[in-house]
């Protein structure tokens, strides 16, 4: 079966971002960008499904600026077969991304679509669920285990109190949680080979999708800073402070 | 304006996060209705009817809604919610699972994990693991929003007297089925609602050593959390994880033991009122957010702390 994996180019998770002085957003100039960590897990899961003989082809798709080609090449080096970039310079909201992915799903007809559970920049946790709604597919969100059997996929999900397993009819949407797998690194020969793999570039217009949004970001501020704390010398002093100064115990 | 709040429950008990969500609805202003979608969930509807400030409870009781499968619940919420000005749900695993599916069905953008209400159409929410706060305005006819519980003080669970109305609509998409679940059992307070949280990290060295934290937590009436490092190392189950990808907590007191304080962990606890860090590395980033820091070996400090509190 064909597996479609969506990946996003985001600020590297180790970077401590700074808010711009004019409060228009965070400063991403000259900041290291990477594939969203949850998307890496999605690519890894697709590659493992292919290694098990479940998946026959992996198509990786990204929606974003032309520089997102770097992340698509990374996915190709990790084992994806071909890539699609839907190029848009605008910062798109989840619903617009889900609509563009729906158009790609219609075109490619995958049996399984794997996304990360959330992007670490916008922290929305929406796109997979929205894509499921638009396609009418079942959704297995926050997956820690994925097992395809016949025309069904069993997904074990991380929920607030523990774990839950659901069975979905294929085609289906799965979003990855951190514990689904440990992503591999791309080897140098595979990075070289990935340069020759096909990468198709499309536009929202060509897909006939409007990217208008009902949400508008008015401003972005730095969170309130915590006042500096103190270092205590002993456990006794700590208990004394908690009881008499902070009055929390 | 009429606001629809989706109840968080397990078919027996109304979850506390619902009360925080109603508090957010009260800040928006207008009539507040609660939807209880479940199976044999009459007791939940009765509890919801008593919540302060609620004027109506809709009870959709159907076997298809028993396990909150989004393929079945989302069409119900979208159908009922189309007539409301706002649809709110707690940013729990259920709320996050269902609500974006509702938003897409209504063809509107969602606003996730709001921490404050600026006006009926403008909200604040954290982005970049809490390192920036965005103010977002929605022009959607129905505003679909998940609410971060720690951003709002819960309303009273008693005092209301709303009418319960049965909703007949049954949606069974037939795309998904519930297979089973494994819930972690704990006698301690729930992590996200606890007044005191004691968390352990990689510095605990193994799962057995968490017994020191359990002993301290029991003495304080606290919940026990963990960093991702402790969960990945298999010390404790993953529903104990506090952070960007785990649970978001904001207790009165957060005690971080053997936790270095990575950005992703801070995202889940830096709104705690008082933060205590116990770590033997005095350069650990956790000390930058801690109100009280103790540079010490946790295996000596934690048992001593347990004795003194």
């Amino acid at each position: 079966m064909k597996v479609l994996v969506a990946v996003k180019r985001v600020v590297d998770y180790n970077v401590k971002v700074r808010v711009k002085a004019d409060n228009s957003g965070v400063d991403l100039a000259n900041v290291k960008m990477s594939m969203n960590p949850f998307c890496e897990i999605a690519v890894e899961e697709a590659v493992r499904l292919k290694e098990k003989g479940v998946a026959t082809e992996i198509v990786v798709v990204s929606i974003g600026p032309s520089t997102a080609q770097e992340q698509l090449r990374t996915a190709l080096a990790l084992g994806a077969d071909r890539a699609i970039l839907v190029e848009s310079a605008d910062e798109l909201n989840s619903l617009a991304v889900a609509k563009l992915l729906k158009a790609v799903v219609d075109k490619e007809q995958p049996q399984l679509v794997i996304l990360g559970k959330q992007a670490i920049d916008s922290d929305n946790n929406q796109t997979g669920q929205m894509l499921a709604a638009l396609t009418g597919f079942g959704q297995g969100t926050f997956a820690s285990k994925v097992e395809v059997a016949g025309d069904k996929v069993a997904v074990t999900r991380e929920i607030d109190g523990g774990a839950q397993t659901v069975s979905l009819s294929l085609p289906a949407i799965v979003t990855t949680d951190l514990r689904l797998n440990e992503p591999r690194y791309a080897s140098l020969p595979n990075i070289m080979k990935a340069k020759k793999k096909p990468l198709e570039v499309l536009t929202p217009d060509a897909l006939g999708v409007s990217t208008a949004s009902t949400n508008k970001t008015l401003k972005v501020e730095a969170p309130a800073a915590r006042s500096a704390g103190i270092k205590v010398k002993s456990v006794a002093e700590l208990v004394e402070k908690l009881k008499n100064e902070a009055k929390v115990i | 304006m009429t606001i629809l709040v989706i109840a968080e429950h397990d078919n027996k008990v109304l979850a506390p996060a619902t009360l925080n969500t109603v508090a957010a609805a009260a800040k928006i202003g207008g009539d507040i209705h609660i939807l209880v979608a479940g199976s044999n969930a009459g007791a939940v509807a009765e509890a919801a009817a008593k919540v302060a400030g609620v004027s109506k409870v809709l009870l959709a009781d159907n076997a298809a809604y028993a396990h909150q499968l989004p393929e079945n619940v989302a069409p119900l919420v979208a159908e009922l919610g189309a007539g409301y000005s706002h649809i709110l749900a707690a940013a729990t695993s259920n709320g996050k699972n269902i609500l974006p599916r509702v938003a897409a069905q209504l063809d509107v953008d969602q606003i996730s994990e709001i921490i404050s209400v600026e006006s009926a159409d403008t909200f604040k929410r954290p982005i970049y693991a809490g390192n920036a706060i965005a103010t977002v305005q929605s022009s959607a006819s129905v505003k679909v929003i998940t609410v971060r519980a720690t951003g709002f003080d819960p309303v009273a669970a008693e005092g209301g007297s709303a009418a319960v109305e049965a909703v007949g609509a049954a949606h069974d998409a037939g795309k998904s089925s519930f297979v089973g679940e494994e819930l972690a059992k704990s006698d301690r307070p729930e992590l996200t609602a606890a007044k005191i949280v004691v968390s352990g990290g990689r510095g605990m060295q193994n799962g057995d050593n968490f017994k020191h934290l359990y002993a301290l937590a029991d003495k304080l009436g606290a919940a026990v959390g963990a960093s991702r490092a402790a969960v990945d190392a298999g010390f404790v189950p993953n529903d104990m994880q506090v952070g960007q990808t785990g649970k978001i907590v904001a207790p009165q007191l957060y005690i971080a033991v053997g936790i270095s304080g990575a950005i992703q962990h801070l995202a889940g606890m830096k709104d705690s009122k008082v933060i205590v860090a116990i770590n033997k590395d005095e350069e650990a980033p956790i000390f930058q957010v801690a109100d009280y820091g103790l540079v010490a070996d946790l295996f000596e400090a934690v048992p001593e702390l347990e004795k003194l509190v």
Side-chain angles (χ1 to χ4, degrees):
Chain A
M1 69 178 187
K2 191 194 272 191
V3 179
L4 183 73
V5 182
V7 302
K8 184 176 184 184
R9 174 183 171 88
V10 298
V11 65
D12 188 85
Y13 73 97
N14 281 314
V15 172
K16 186 151 177 17
V17 295
R18 259 196 293 272
V19 171
K20 284 187 199 164
D22 65 357
N23 293 121
S24 62
V26 298
D27 194 355
L28 294 179
N30 304 316
V31 168
K32 186 183 177 205
M33 304 293 279
S34 301
M35 191 191 296
N36 180 43
F38 292 99
C39 303
E40 287 183 352
I41 295 170
V43 172
E44 175 67 29
E45 195 63 19
V47 173
R48 289 186 190 190
L49 286 172
K50 193 174 175 190
E51 286 168 349
K52 275 191 243 168
V54 176
T56 47
E57 188 187 23
I58 302 169
V59 181
V60 59
V61 55
S62 190
I63 293 163
S66 58
T67 45
Q69 289 198 16
E70 283 171 35
Q71 279 62 46
L72 288 172
R73 290 288 173 204
T74 303
L76 292 170
L78 291 168
D81 296 294
R82 60 191 173 84
I84 300 170
L85 173 66
V86 181
E87 199 172 322
S88 168
D90 304 329
E91 206 168 306
L92 299 177
N93 276 314
S94 309
L95 185 61
V97 171
K99 285 178 179 174
L100 289 165
L101 289 175
K102 159 82 162 56
V104 174
V105 166
D106 287 346
K107 200 163 156 274
E108 295 288 340
Q109 299 287 320
Q111 285 296 294
L112 191 63
V113 186
I114 312 181
L115 303 89
K117 83 163 176 182
Q118 77 190 58
I120 59 163
D121 52 0
S122 54
D123 280 335
N124 273 324
N125 196 332
Q126 298 172 357
T127 306
Q129 294 89 315
M130 288 179 160
L131 177 61
L134 297 175
T135 54
F137 298 169
Q139 67 188 53
T141 52
F142 327 144
S144 59
K145 195 172 167 196
V146 175
E147 275 177 301
V148 179
D151 61 350
K152 302 250 187 216
V153 57
V155 180
T156 302
R157 310 175 51 234
E158 295 199 359
I159 59 170
D160 287 337
Q164 177 196 62
T165 305
V166 293
S167 171
L168 309 170
S169 309
L170 293 173
I173 311 281
V174 168
T175 75
T176 64
D177 215 319
L178 278 173
R179 269 162 288 275
L180 180 58
N181 60 48
E182 197 142 316
R184 69 193 68 188
Y185 293 98
S187 67
L188 187 59
N190 285 345
I191 293 171
M192 301 311 287
K193 274 184 223 155
K195 291 183 180 172
K196 297 205 179 76
K197 289 185 179 175
L199 192 158
E200 183 185 2
V201 180
L202 300 169
T203 61
D205 286 346
L207 291 168
V209 174
S210 154
T211 57
S213 172
T214 55
N215 280 358
K216 195 167 104 186
T217 299
L218 302 180
K219 65 177 173 196
V220 175
E221 299 158 292
R226 291 187 74 94
S227 50
I230 56 162
K231 287 229 172 97
V232 294
K233 297 215 164 45
S234 68
V235 173
E237 189 188 347
L238 175 63
V239 172
E240 193 272 319
K241 296 269 189 209
L242 289 178
K243 277 188 174 150
N244 301 322
E245 195 175 275
K247 295 190 172 60
V248 284
I249 56 173
Chain B
M1 280 193 306
T2 315
I3 301 166
L4 184 65
V5 172
I6 315 301
E8 170 84 17
H9 67 91
D10 60 358
N11 294 317
K12 295 185 197 82
V13 181
L14 185 69
T18 311
L19 302 177
N20 305 78
T21 313
V22 171
K27 289 234 163 98
I28 295 168
D31 272 357
I32 301 170
H33 296 178
I34 293 189
L35 169 66
V36 177
S39 175
N40 294 321
V44 178
E46 279 171 36
K50 291 193 189 120
V51 172
V54 174
S55 61
K56 187 154 74 167
V57 174
L58 304 172
L59 173 61
D61 214 314
N62 192 295
Y65 307 138
H67 299 288
Q68 305 287 324
L69 294 174
E71 297 79 6
N72 301 346
V73 177
L76 170 76
V77 178
E79 183 185 295
L80 293 172
Y84 285 84
S85 62
H86 298 73
I87 304 174
L88 268 57
T92 54
S93 53
N94 266 330
K96 291 182 200 177
N97 194 26
I98 293 168
L99 223 56
R101 196 166 176 122
V102 173
Q105 285 193 287
L106 293 170
D107 196 25
V108 297
D109 267 300
Q110 178 185 302
I111 304 181
S112 292
E113 304 225 15
I114 61 162
I115 52 168
S116 86
V117 173
E118 301 297 296
S119 70
D121 67 355
T122 308
F123 308 90
K124 284 194 177 176
R125 62 176 300 263
I127 53 175
Y128 290 90
N131 286 304
I133 307 294
T135 304
V136 184
Q137 187 175 45
S138 169
S139 59
S141 53
V142 185
K143 293 162 184 64
V144 179
I145 296 164
T146 60
V147 176
R148 182 173 284 191
T150 57
F152 299 88
D153 291 329
V155 297
E158 302 283 336
S161 56
V164 178
E165 193 177 288
V167 176
H171 294 271
D172 191 347
K175 299 268 180 194
S176 57
S177 58
F178 172 83
V179 178
E181 64 187 2
E182 264 178 71
L183 299 180
K185 286 190 180 64
S186 172
D187 301 331
R188 293 186 189 85
E190 201 212 343
L191 194 50
T192 52
K195 292 228 171 349
I196 302 178
V197 174
V198 180
S199 278
R202 199 194 307 270
M204 298 308 295
Q205 293 178 4
N206 60 49
D208 194 39
N209 285 335
F210 263 74
K211 65 175 188 252
H212 298 301
L213 299 190
Y214 294 136
L216 175 61
D218 288 342
K219 199 113 179 244
L220 292 168
V224 179
S227 69
R228 184 184 166 194
V231 172
D232 281 354
F235 299 173
V236 290
N238 54 34
D239 53 283
M240 282 172 64
Q241 187 184 328
V242 172
Q244 185 183 21
T245 60
K247 300 221 165 79
I248 313 286
V249 300
Q252 294 289 306
L253 173 61
Y254 188 90
I255 305 179
V257 181
I259 293 176
S260 65
I263 297 172
Q264 292 78 16
H265 184 73
L266 300 184
M269 46 64 82
K270 71 178 174 186
D271 291 327
S272 305
K273 186 157 169 276
V274 175
I275 298 173
V276 169
I278 300 174
N279 204 305
K280 64 180 175 190
D281 174 12
E282 61 180 313
E283 302 294 321
I286 191 79
F287 286 119
Q288 290 163 21
V289 299
D291 299 282
Y292 302 108
L294 176 64
V295 181
D297 183 346
L298 68 94
F299 295 108
E300 287 164 20
V302 173
E304 195 185 338
L305 184 57
E306 191 221 321
K307 272 195 215 102
L308 290 177
V309 293

